């Protein structure tokens, strides 16, 4: 692990005190060592001397001032702490002197490899008026190896102090510009762990097992590692007591729980640690058996394994984003290389070699970093934009003018009159240029409302309207809100794939045989033996009939209009396929969404790119919020004015800042209970993580039980106990039950003997009660529905919303969705640690924009920058 802490002048004494020369007898740690290219320029070599160390902290050396900043205000440096995995520390504590030395040397090698990367990528300084000139600098590090935690247990770690004094290329000195230090933190940590793992394999021949993003030494007893984790337990207990989580909270807890470090010699501590090991049946002898079991791989094999790690890293990143940086690729490659014997340098070299091959495209530089994407993904984006352009240039469908006017009047008679803005959007879809149209709108502006008159006018003009959305719940909402027959995008693409070819009996037979094998794999052995359908003329006849029925039902042609709802959440690959099918069929495409809300989980940015290509009609008049003040608050969030929005919530008494997380939970449930216990369907709790949602659901259920709003009888389904009248949410699509992932309902009854539960599902059709009864053995994908994650709430509208913040999942898009669900009132519950002084921290997190963009956009921006630079160079050459 790598953590970074900012250091003030005067803190050097702590490290200097622990660097006694005779550390075994006097209780200190090993002497510190200088590292970095700048040390030779300042004649800082070998072990650290106290005077030089303290001088550098003050910005001087041997009577010479090195920096201009005053001692009282300057940052002295940064403490980069590299902590070995617990199994490494435990192995070191139980080893003989020779093995212990090898482990310590492996630790130092790993730290220095990471520091070389940090110096290369983060070592910059400023000079000139206002610091406008940025140039490369040589860094100065002081490394101190420590072997114990503050609980006096084995914790091998190194403090690498990055001194805020550097040497410029011309030999002058100055301070560091370290904004990139935090950006490269995760990559530097991965480099350290990869190198440490490789060093241990090379030096000791131990087996290394990858453990998520870290690793562990195979064979080191888990129980002993757990015993020696008291310091981590202290931090976790402090976090639990405060009810907080996350990296920032962990760092603060580490400081506030830090006991005074005792001056006990390593010799005494190691003796005690080995006695503890023996009590667990583990000692130097057991460790010795783990050595030499792993043989070094030939260089050629290691190079191939490094390339494999590099390719794997790209595959991982391209699952969730359209482009990536070299530092991201290095991070994942180093994580993938742990346990393969691949050194950090080999992993980094492999990444750089792989990125130079023809499979990748360099998109340009943004904030000093090169961005890359795969040639294959860029082609998908380019084909999509090309198809969008062709659709935009095609002749639009012909909708009767009278049909448009009748549809608009019909909507008004039905009690849903269109605003001028909505009417303009309707006319844009029906009579605008081209066979593609995009409508964007803020949350609650009636994007779905305009689709009713659109459908009426199209059907009256002889067109068939179909709808698709990413999630089943969204497709259901589209269908219920606009009367447009809708399905998921996955279902749409599956059917298009099936019907895009002509009828082929050979292909149909092959698919039939594959289906039979699949069905057999789902049955028990006896039923599988009995299940043996064969392909026959009658089977072929039925298959052909089903094919043409499918083609008629799901096929598209010039008389089809396809509506994509919540388009911003659709990934680029799927969007590209949708656009391609629409273009080939001659149909028209209508895209509706909001890029300000939740983004695609995988590669995103397609909808935003489409709107930039063809233009858009935007809806900004909000109808969901009933009060003017609530509308203004949500509008502020939509525009990114987070501080203004939070100030409005605070003035209305709707921003609750608690001392700790437990209190935030308690305050939220207390406020929710006033109305939520009676009408939980109208009062929804929103949280960022499934863990928070689980706890909030338990608290809400307990509150309703205490107020006798639930039956005392219960039925256990997985980790939940459901009572009659409980609110539940379905978490998986099921055709036979006609429920979607995200469908809400209320438990009406259950039968313990039969193991069945009956749920009345929420429906827009208030006059009709819809109850689903099912066996929990056949379908157990339900959970309590008083609280849900933000992602599950997009598209939902409730009277009141109760939002629990979480620092680990907070950005502009998530916050906007949370604040825009309620018609009447939204209450926000946070902690002092998350909010920060005068709301500074929570504002910063909510302002963070995580909007996704196409890789093609970065490529175009780079090309434009090059064009401008060439133009300026030409003008300068001509003397213009």
């Amino acid at each position: 692990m790598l953590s970074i802490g900012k250091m003030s002048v005067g803190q050097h004494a702590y490290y200097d005190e622990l660097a006694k020369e005779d550390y075994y007898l006097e209780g200190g740690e090993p002497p510190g060592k200088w590292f970095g290219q700048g040390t030779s320029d300042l004649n800082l070599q070998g072990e650290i001397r106290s005077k030089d160390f303290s001088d550098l902290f003050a910005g001087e050396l041997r009577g010479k001032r090195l920096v201009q900043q005053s001692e009282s205000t300057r940052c002295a440096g940064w403490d980069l702490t590299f902590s070995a995995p617990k199994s490494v520390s435990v192995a070191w504590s139980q080893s003989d002197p020779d093995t212990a030395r090898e482990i310590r040397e492996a630790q130092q090698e790993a730290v220095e490899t990471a520091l070389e990367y940090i110096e290369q990528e983060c070592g910059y300084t400023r000079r000139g008026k206002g610091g406008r000139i940025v140039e490369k600098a040589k860094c100065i590090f002081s490394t101190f190896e420590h072997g114990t935690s503050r609980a006096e247990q084995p914790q091998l770690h190194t403090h690498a102090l990055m001194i805020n004094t550097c040497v410029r290329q011309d030999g002058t000195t100055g301070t560091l510009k370290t904004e990139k230090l935090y950006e490269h933190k995760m990559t530097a940590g991965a480099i350290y762990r990869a190198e440490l793992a490789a060093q241990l394999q090379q030096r000791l021949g131990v087996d290394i097992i990858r453990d998520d993003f870290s690793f562990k030494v195979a064979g080191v007893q888990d129980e002993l590692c757990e015993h020696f984790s008291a310091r981590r337990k202290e931090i976790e207990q402090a976090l639990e007591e405060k009810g907080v989580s996350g990296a920032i909270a962990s760092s603060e807890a580490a400081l506030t729980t830090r006991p005074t470090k005792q001056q006990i010699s390593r010799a005494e501590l190691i003796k005690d640690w080995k006695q503890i090991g023996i009590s667990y049946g583990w000692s130097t002898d057991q460790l010795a058996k783990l050595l030499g079991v792993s043989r070094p791989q030939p260089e050629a094999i290691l190079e191939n394994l490094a390339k494999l790690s590099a390719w794997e890293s790209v595959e991982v990143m391209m699952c969730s984003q359209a482009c990536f940086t070299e530092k991201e690729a290095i991070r994942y490659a180093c994580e993938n290389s742990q346990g393969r014997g691949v050194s950090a340098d080999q992993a980094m070299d492999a990444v750089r070699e792989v990125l130079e091959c023809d499979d990748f495209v360099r998109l340009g530089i943004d904030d000093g970093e090169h961005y890359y994407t795969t040639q294959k993904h860029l082609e998908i984006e380019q084909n999509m934009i090309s198809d969008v352009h062709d659709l935009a240039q095609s002749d639009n469908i012909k909708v009767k003018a009278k049909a448009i006017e009748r549809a608009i009047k019909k909507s008004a008679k039905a009690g849903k009159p269109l605003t001028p803005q909505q009417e303009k959007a309707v006319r844009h879809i029906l009579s605008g240029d081209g066979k593609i149209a995009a409508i964007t709108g803020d949350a609650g502006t009636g994007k779905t409302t305009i689709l009713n008159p659109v459908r009426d006018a199209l059907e009256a003009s002889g067109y068939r309207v179909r709808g698709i959305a990413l999630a089943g719940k969204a497709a259901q909402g589209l269908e219920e809100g606009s009367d447009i027959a809708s399905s998921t995008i996955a279902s749409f693409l599956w059917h298009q794939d099936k019907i895009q070819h002509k009828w082929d009996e050979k292909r149909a037979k092959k698919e039939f045989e594959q289906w039979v094998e699949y069905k057999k794999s789902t049955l028990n052995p006896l039923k599988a033996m009995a299940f043996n359908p064969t392909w026959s003329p009658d089977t072929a006849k039925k298959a052909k009939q089903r094919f043409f029925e499918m083609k008629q039902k799901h096929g598209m042609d010039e008389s089809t209009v396809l509506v994509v709802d919540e388009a911003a959440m659709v990934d680029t690959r799927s969007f590209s396929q949708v656009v391609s099918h629409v273009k080939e069929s001659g149909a028209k495409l209508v895209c509706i969404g909001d890029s300000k809300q939740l983004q695609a989980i995988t590669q995103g940015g397609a909808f935003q790119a489409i709107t930039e290509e063809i233009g858009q009609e935007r809806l900004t008049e909000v109808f969901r919020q009933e009060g003017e003040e609530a509308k203004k608050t949500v509008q502020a969030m939509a525009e990114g004015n987070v501080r203004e929005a939070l100030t409005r919530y605070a003035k209305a008494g709707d921003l609750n800042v608690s001392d700790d997380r437990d209190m935030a939970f308690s305050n939220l449930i207390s406020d929710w209970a006033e109305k939520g216990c009676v009408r939980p369907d109208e009062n929804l709790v929103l949280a960022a993580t499934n863990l928070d949602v689980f706890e909030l659901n338990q608290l809400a259920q307990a509150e309703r039980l205490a107020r006798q709003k639930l039956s005392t009888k219960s039925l256990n389904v997985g980790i939940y106990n459901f009572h009659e009248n409980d609110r539940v949410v379905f978490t998986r699509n099921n055709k036979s039950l006609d429920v979607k992932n995200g469908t809400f309902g209320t438990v009406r009854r259950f039968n313990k003997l039969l193991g069945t539960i009956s749920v009345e599902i929420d429906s827009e059709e208030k006059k009709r009660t819809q109850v689903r009864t099912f066996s929990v053995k056949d379908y157990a994908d339900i959970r309590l529905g008083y609280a849900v994650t933000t992602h599950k709430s997009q598209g939902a509208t409730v009277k009141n919303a109760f939002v629990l913040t979480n620092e680990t999942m907070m950005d502009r898009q998530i916050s906007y969705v949370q604040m825009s669900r309620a018609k009447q009132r939204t209450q926000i519950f946070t902690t002092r640690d998350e909010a920060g002084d005068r709301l500074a921290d929570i504002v910063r997190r909510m302002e963070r924009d995580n909007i996704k963009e196409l890789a093609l956009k970065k490529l175009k921006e780079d090309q434009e920058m090059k064009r401008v630079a060439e133009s300026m160079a030409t003008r300068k050459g001509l003397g213009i």
Side-chain angles (χ1 to χ4, degrees):
M1 295 291 291
L2 167 61
S3 63
I4 300 176
K6 203 171 184 179
M7 301 188 62
S8 62
V9 175
Q11 282 187 281
H12 66 88
Y14 166 73
Y15 303 96
D16 198 31
E17 185 64 26
L18 291 174
K20 304 286 187 181
E21 184 177 349
D22 195 352
Y23 55 88
Y24 280 108
L25 297 178
E26 298 186 28
E29 298 278 17
K33 298 178 182 178
W34 293 112
F35 185 78
Q37 295 177 10
T39 56
S40 58
D41 292 72
L42 299 180
N43 196 26
L44 298 168
Q45 302 294 330
E47 293 181 2
I48 294 173
R49 293 187 299 178
S50 298
K51 184 65 170 66
D52 291 344
F53 188 49
S54 59
D55 279 356
L56 279 174
F57 258 71
E60 59 186 32
L61 184 65
R62 305 179 193 110
K64 181 182 177 181
R65 192 71 187 164
L66 301 180
V67 297
Q68 296 178 0
Q69 295 173 327
S70 65
E71 184 173 332
S72 59
T73 60
R74 71 184 298 268
C75 167
W78 295 265
D79 180 0
L80 316 180
T81 306
F82 296 87
S83 299
K86 178 54 68 174
S87 62
V88 177
S89 294
V90 171
W92 168 69
S93 75
Q94 305 299 306
S95 59
D96 59 61
D98 289 340
T99 304
R101 185 184 65 255
E102 293 287 357
I103 293 174
R104 289 176 53 213
E105 289 178 359
Q107 167 75 2
Q108 185 68 18
E109 285 284 343
V111 169
E112 290 182 359
T113 302
L115 294 181
E116 286 175 355
Y117 172 83
I118 289 172
E119 183 169 23
Q120 176 64 35
E121 300 296 332
C122 311
Y124 290 91
T125 186
R126 293 182 183 274
R127 72 156 79 211
K129 188 176 181 180
R132 284 179 290 184
I133 301 173
V134 178
E135 65 179 61
K136 203 74 183 67
K138 300 176 185 178
C139 296
I140 301 164
F141 300 95
S142 53
T143 65
F144 293 88
E145 177 202 305
H146 291 177
T148 64
S149 69
R150 289 181 172 270
E152 297 174 11
Q153 294 182 331
Q155 183 192 345
L156 187 61
H157 61 287
T158 302
H159 293 280
L161 309 185
M162 188 176 188
I163 308 297
N164 193 14
T165 300
C166 63
V167 181
R168 301 189 181 105
Q169 299 304 312
D170 61 3
T172 61
T173 56
T175 57
L176 286 165
K177 173 185 178 289
T178 56
E179 290 90 344
K180 288 192 173 293
L181 179 60
Y182 293 91
E183 295 175 16
H184 286 266
K185 171 188 168 183
M186 301 301 290
T187 302
I191 289 170
Y192 157 72
R193 293 189 300 274
E195 184 63 24
L196 179 59
Q199 287 280 336
L200 292 172
Q201 284 181 284
Q202 179 183 338
R203 292 170 178 271
L204 302 177
V206 293
D207 270 337
I208 297 294
I209 302 172
R210 184 177 170 184
D211 185 18
D212 196 10
F213 62 87
S214 188
F215 72 90
K216 58 185 178 180
V217 179
V220 177
Q221 193 182 78
D222 291 337
E223 292 79 7
L224 189 56
C225 290
E226 183 68 21
H227 177 90
F228 284 135
S229 299
R231 176 65 182 139
R232 183 62 213 167
K233 290 177 184 176
E234 288 178 6
I235 296 172
E236 289 173 350
Q237 185 176 352
L239 291 172
E240 186 176 346
E241 288 173 356
K242 292 183 72 177
V244 296
S245 61
I248 295 173
S250 294
S251 297
E252 291 176 354
L255 291 173
T256 56
T257 62
R258 187 168 70 181
T260 303
K261 203 160 189 176
Q262 302 298 312
Q263 293 285 6
I264 303 175
S265 73
R266 271 198 181 183
E268 289 182 40
L269 287 172
I270 290 173
K271 184 178 179 181
D272 291 342
W273 294 337
K274 288 185 175 178
Q275 285 299 316
I276 293 170
I278 291 172
S279 71
Y280 277 83
W282 219 84
S283 67
T284 305
D285 293 338
Q286 277 68 43
L287 177 63
K289 294 177 183 178
L290 305 180
L291 308 181
V293 298
S294 176
R295 294 181 179 179
Q297 297 280 6
E299 194 69 19
I301 292 179
L302 288 177
E303 288 178 1
N304 288 334
L305 289 172
K307 288 180 183 178
L308 175 62
S309 296
W311 280 107
E312 287 175 346
S313 72
V314 173
E315 290 175 2
V316 167
M317 289 182 294
M318 291 302 294
C319 284
S320 60
Q321 56 202 70
C323 54
F324 58 90
T325 61
E326 183 185 271
K327 80 166 181 288
E328 291 173 315
I330 288 174
R331 173 193 168 183
Y332 287 110
C334 284
E335 289 179 358
N336 288 332
S337 70
Q338 295 173 126
R340 290 173 168 172
V342 175
S343 71
D345 282 336
Q346 288 172 322
M348 288 188 282
D349 289 343
V351 165
R352 288 161 183 150
E353 182 181 342
V354 164
L355 292 182
E356 290 300 317
C357 73
D358 293 338
D359 293 271
F360 296 95
V361 178
R362 181 178 285 193
L363 302 173
I365 299 176
D366 187 3
D367 194 25
E369 291 197 73
H370 284 286
Y371 277 78
Y372 299 84
T373 191
T374 62
Q375 187 72 48
K376 184 177 180 181
H377 181 78
L378 193 62
E379 288 174 3
I380 290 172
E381 292 186 355
Q382 289 171 329
N383 290 338
M384 181 187 72
I385 295 300
S386 176
D387 287 343
V388 166
H389 178 77
D390 290 345
L391 285 172
Q393 297 301 313
S394 302
D395 291 335
N396 194 10
I397 58 177
K398 306 298 182 184
V399 183
K400 299 173 184 176
K402 289 183 179 180
I404 297 175
E405 303 307 322
R406 279 198 298 266
I408 292 172
K409 289 179 181 177
K410 182 180 177 182
S411 184
K413 287 181 181 179
K416 295 181 179 180
L418 301 179
T419 66
Q421 203 175 61
Q422 289 178 320
E423 186 175 326
K424 187 180 179 183
V426 169
R427 295 184 186 279
H428 176 72
I429 292 172
L430 297 173
S431 52
D433 295 332
K435 279 196 170 183
I436 183 170
I439 305 296
T440 64
D442 295 341
T445 53
K447 294 187 290 294
T448 306
T449 301
I450 68 171
L451 291 177
N452 261 308
V454 166
R455 177 189 48 75
D456 279 340
L458 286 169
E459 289 178 348
S461 300
Y463 293 94
R464 184 175 63 142
V465 189
R466 296 183 56 194
I468 56 175
L470 186 68
K473 180 70 184 300
Q476 183 181 26
L478 174 62
E479 185 165 326
E480 292 177 349
S482 63
D483 261 351
I484 296 174
S486 304
S487 67
T488 65
I489 288 177
S491 174
F492 168 82
L493 292 176
W494 185 87
H495 283 103
Q496 296 306 310
D497 181 61
K498 290 294 182 185
I499 64 177
Q500 66 178 335
H501 305 288
K502 294 181 179 179
W503 166 252
D504 185 335
E505 187 169 331
K506 288 184 178 179
R507 185 172 64 248
K509 181 181 179 182
K510 184 176 180 181
E511 290 176 353
F512 172 81
E513 290 170 347
Q514 290 173 341
W515 172 78
V516 171
E517 290 302 314
Y518 167 75
K519 287 294 292 182
K520 282 187 174 182
S521 69
T522 64
L523 301 172
N524 64 49
L526 289 176
K527 288 185 177 180
M529 289 177 64
F531 183 77
N532 194 30
T534 56
W535 184 261
S536 65
D538 186 53
T539 307
K541 182 179 178 181
K542 290 179 180 179
K544 186 177 182 178
Q545 182 180 348
R546 283 195 300 270
F547 173 80
F548 283 104
E549 287 174 351
M550 184 188 298
K551 201 172 184 70
Q552 184 176 6
K553 181 178 179 181
H554 297 284
M556 295 189 297
D557 54 28
E558 292 85 352
S559 64
T560 305
V561 176
L562 183 68
V563 177
V564 182
D565 197 18
E566 294 195 355
M569 294 189 71
V570 182
D571 64 278
T572 303
R573 186 181 295 273
S574 297
F575 223 136
S576 178
Q577 291 174 327
V578 168
V579 173
S580 177
H581 285 303
V582 170
K583 177 189 170 185
E584 289 175 8
S585 67
K588 172 162 183 169
L589 182 63
V590 178
C591 308
I592 297 181
D594 182 10
S595 295
K596 294 179 182 179
Q597 297 188 54
L598 299 179
Q599 306 291 292
I601 295 173
T602 56
Q603 303 107 327
F607 178 57
Q608 185 181 16
I610 289 172
T611 60
E612 291 172 357
E613 179 72 19
I614 66 171
Q616 60 184 299
E617 282 296 325
R618 181 153 190 85
L619 303 175
T620 58
E621 189 176 349
V622 177
F623 300 99
R624 180 177 291 157
Q625 283 69 46
E626 296 176 352
E628 284 303 313
E629 186 61 27
K631 288 182 180 180
K632 289 179 181 178
T633 303
V634 173
Q635 189 64 32
M637 284 296 301
E639 294 170 356
N641 299 325
V642 176
R643 183 169 289 281
E644 177 189 339
L646 290 179
T647 300
R648 288 180 178 275
Y649 282 121
K651 286 181 178 178
D654 292 334
L655 179 60
N656 186 303
V657 182
S658 303
D659 290 335
D660 56 44
R661 202 152 180 80
D662 283 343
M663 187 60 69
F665 274 80
S666 178
N667 289 339
L668 185 154
I669 292 299
S670 178
D671 282 12
W672 170 86
E674 292 181 19
K675 295 179 180 179
C677 277
V678 178
R679 292 303 305 265
D681 57 321
E682 297 178 349
N683 297 272
L684 187 63
V685 179
L686 303 178
T689 68
N690 283 314
L691 190 61
D692 286 345
V693 165
F694 175 79
E695 187 170 348
L696 288 164
N697 272 321
Q698 299 300 313
L699 292 171
Q701 184 189 57
E703 192 69 30
R704 293 196 78 201
L705 274 169
R707 299 193 185 199
Q708 298 181 338
K709 299 298 181 183
L710 301 176
S711 165
T712 55
K713 297 179 181 178
S714 66
L715 177 68
N716 179 262
V717 182
I719 60 174
Y720 293 96
N721 277 315
F722 295 110
H723 299 256
E724 289 179 0
N725 215 30
D726 253 331
R727 283 290 287 172
V728 294
V729 60
F730 294 82
T731 59
R732 183 169 60 88
N733 297 343
N734 188 286
K735 284 186 179 180
S736 62
L737 288 177
D738 190 23
V739 294
K740 304 289 193 294
N741 180 4
T743 297
F744 285 88
T746 304
V747 177
R748 290 309 180 203
R749 59 187 175 275
F750 51 77
N751 188 315
K752 280 191 172 183
L753 186 63
L754 298 176
T756 61
I757 187 169
S758 297
V759 177
E760 181 183 335
I761 67 170
D762 292 358
S763 174
E764 295 293 324
E765 303 175 45
K766 301 294 183 183
K767 296 179 182 178
R768 184 173 151 215
T769 300
Q770 300 185 51
V771 177
R772 304 286 187 267
T773 300
F774 53 93
S775 166
V776 296
K777 287 185 178 180
D778 298 330
Y779 184 91
D781 299 284
I782 57 171
R783 70 183 188 196
L784 291 173
Y786 302 106
V788 296
T789 60
T790 305
H791 279 76
K792 202 169 283 292
S793 75
Q794 177 154 336
T797 300
V798 292
K799 276 192 177 180
N800 304 297
F802 302 80
V803 178
L804 179 73
T805 66
N806 187 305
E807 69 172 23
T808 60
M809 289 189 69
M810 196 186 301
D811 58 36
R812 182 173 174 179
Q813 285 72 36
I814 289 174
S815 300
Y816 179 43
V817 171
Q818 290 173 333
M819 310 312 172
S820 60
R821 298 304 94 198
K823 292 189 290 185
Q824 295 181 356
R825 188 181 183 192
T826 298
Q827 293 177 253
I828 304 168
F829 297 82
T830 188
T831 66
R832 295 191 187 281
D833 286 340
E834 286 183 350
D837 186 32
R838 297 184 179 182
L839 304 180
D841 291 346
I842 194 171
V843 167
R844 175 174 52 80
R845 293 189 189 105
M846 286 186 174
E847 284 179 339
R848 188 175 59 213
D849 197 343
N850 277 336
I851 194 166
K852 293 190 174 183
E853 296 178 335
L854 295 190
L856 196 57
K857 185 174 182 179
K858 284 195 178 294
L859 182 62
K860 289 180 177 178
E861 288 173 350
D862 182 61
Q863 291 170 344
E864 178 63 18
M865 287 177 65
K866 288 178 179 177
R867 187 191 66 77
V868 172
E870 290 171 0
S871 175
M872 291 177 65
T874 302
R875 289 168 64 88
K876 186 176 180 180
L878 295 173
I880 301 175

